[in-house]
Amino acid sequence: MLPNSDMAEYELFVAEKMNSGPWIKHSLNVGVAARNIAEQIQGMDAEKAYILGVLHDIGRRVGVVTIPVHIYEGYKFAMDKGWDEVAKICMTHSYPLKEKEFNYESNNEIDRAIKKYILSCLYDDYDMLIQLCDSLATDYGFCILEKRLVDVTRRYGVWENMIDRWNATFDIKDYFEKQMSCSIYDVLPDIGKTTLLSPPPWKPPVK
């Protein structure tokens, strides 16, 4: 189940009042990127892609939190609304490697819940599309994958499986471009201009 696009945008507006930050515009741009790519692919629902993109990070409404916490909070929020398709995207958008993301054991309840969910679900084209678009959209527009991946690394540091995650994202790019018969960059507005921008990495405000 899904909300409509107006409801998705409204929930993001409410979330901004709770926890403002560049993640709001980033989420809207993920939605635009997902819609524009889905419009080029037979069998994909562009409106659904937009809604999933807009709400993929909705768990950040609870405040400045770690990646696992915003994933789990988004999942709980969407499930409470009855939006199971949104809930799935909240869970899957940060795990392109699927089971290979979890080569460790954790005593943290949230980590265990996420691991159990990811290992039990099947990714579809919408899961992969939002994973891709999450790596194409910033708060100030769109950029090539190389730029965005470095930007994320500057903010969060180097992860053990970082290169594998990068390669998985490029594989998703190739997957969709074969269906589009063009570059994903061809459908992202002003990407040539915004890719050249280099704002400093965002840091949460000091309270």
Side-chain angles (χ1 to χ4, degrees):
M1 234 181 119
L2 284 171
N4 60 34
S5 58
D6 288 341
M7 179 58 69
E9 291 168 359
Y10 172 76
E11 291 295 349
L12 200 61
F13 170 78
V14 172
E16 184 174 24
K17 302 298 182 184
M18 300 171 64
N19 177 33
S20 63
W23 75 275
I24 299 293
K25 290 183 178 178
H26 160 73
S27 296
L28 290 169
N29 285 334
V30 170
V32 171
R35 180 192 64 205
N36 289 6
I37 293 171
E39 285 176 342
Q40 306 299 316
I41 299 175
Q42 185 175 4
M44 292 203 79
D45 183 334
E47 183 74 359
K48 175 179 176 178
Y50 175 75
I51 293 164
L52 294 175
V54 167
L55 294 177
H56 79 285
D57 264 351
I58 195 63
R60 295 191 185 277
R61 68 200 295 277
V62 301
V64 179
V65 293
T66 64
I67 289 176
V69 171
H70 96 265
I71 288 167
Y72 193 60
E73 289 294 332
Y75 171 79
K76 291 195 301 179
F77 172 79
M79 288 300 291
D80 286 345
K81 294 283 189 178
W83 301 337
D84 58 315
E85 292 176 280
V86 174
K88 185 185 180 196
I89 290 296
C90 288
M91 279 286 205
T92 63
H93 76 270
S94 288
Y95 297 106
L97 297 179
K98 208 169 186 291
E99 66 275 1
K100 294 179 182 178
E101 303 275 5
F102 302 98
N103 58 351
Y104 62 92
E105 293 297 328
S106 174
N107 293 323
N108 182 282
E109 182 180 351
I110 290 177
D111 287 341
R112 291 202 307 269
I114 293 173
K115 177 179 180 179
K116 181 179 179 180
Y117 184 93
I118 295 296
L119 296 187
S120 66
C121 79
L122 296 175
Y123 285 8
D124 60 22
D125 281 4
Y126 293 97
D127 298 296
M128 293 190 295
L129 179 61
I130 303 306
Q131 289 168 0
L132 174 65
C133 293
D134 198 18
S135 294
L136 294 170
T138 70
D139 59 305
Y140 55 86
F142 307 97
C143 62
I144 62 174
L145 285 180
E146 291 88 344
K147 172 74 176 292
R148 173 69 173 157
L149 295 174
V150 169
D151 173 64
V152 172
T153 302
R154 290 178 71 192
R155 284 188 285 124
Y156 293 111
V158 176
W159 295 5
E160 180 181 353
N161 57 3
M162 181 180 70
I163 301 301
D164 289 337
R165 289 169 60 87
W166 287 8
N167 288 335
T169 305
F170 279 100
D171 287 344
I172 296 172
K173 174 181 178 288
D174 292 342
Y175 171 77
F176 283 113
E177 286 182 335
K178 287 177 182 177
Q179 298 181 67
M180 297 169 67
S181 299
C182 68
S183 170
I184 56 172
Y185 302 135
D186 291 339
V187 301
L188 301 180
D190 296 321
I191 188 170
K193 181 188 300 183
T194 51
T195 287
L196 296 177
L197 299 176
S198 296
W202 180 81
K203 294 181 180 179
V206 178
K207 296 184 178 179

